[in-house]
Amino acid sequence: MVELDAFSSSGPTLPEQAAAVLQSAVEALVSDGTVTQANVAPDYISMRAIESEQKAREIAAAFHAAMYGLRQLYIAVPVPRRKA
């Protein structure tokens, strides 16, 4: 099982675009059969019935790196503000 509950952890918020990327990755894993059960909520991702422990560890590491990397990118790159 892989769980990602850091959306609600302390620190900068994960932008919606980054959450959408992670959700798309979950959908791809389910679609190809690597993961057979997944739950995606606004602040939580859970994946179960993964084909092997090694694959579960690989997925967990990739999602952890992606989440923190996208969060840091969001901090480092200014977001254009809409003019009122």
Side-chain angles (χ1 to χ4, degrees):
M1 177 161 87
V2 172
E3 293 180 305
L4 189 63
D5 190 20
F7 293 126
S8 59
S9 68
S10 62
T13 303
L14 190 66
E16 285 183 35
Q17 299 90 337
V21 169
L22 296 175
Q23 181 172 345
S24 292
V26 171
E27 291 168 0
L29 289 167
V30 170
S31 179
D32 82 352
T34 302
V35 173
T36 57
Q37 297 174 358
N39 295 312
V40 179
D43 60 350
Y44 181 79
I45 291 175
S46 172
M47 293 173 272
R48 298 171 191 245
I50 299 167
E51 63 186 27
S52 68
E53 181 179 349
Q54 180 178 347
K55 190 64 172 180
R57 290 177 183 274
E58 178 184 315
I59 290 168
F63 272 75
H64 179 80
M67 187 188 68
Y68 283 101
L70 290 167
R71 193 178 269 171
Q72 288 303 116
L73 184 63
Y74 184 70
I75 292 167
V77 178
V79 177
R81 304 287 182 222
R82 293 184 193 197
K83 295 182 181 180

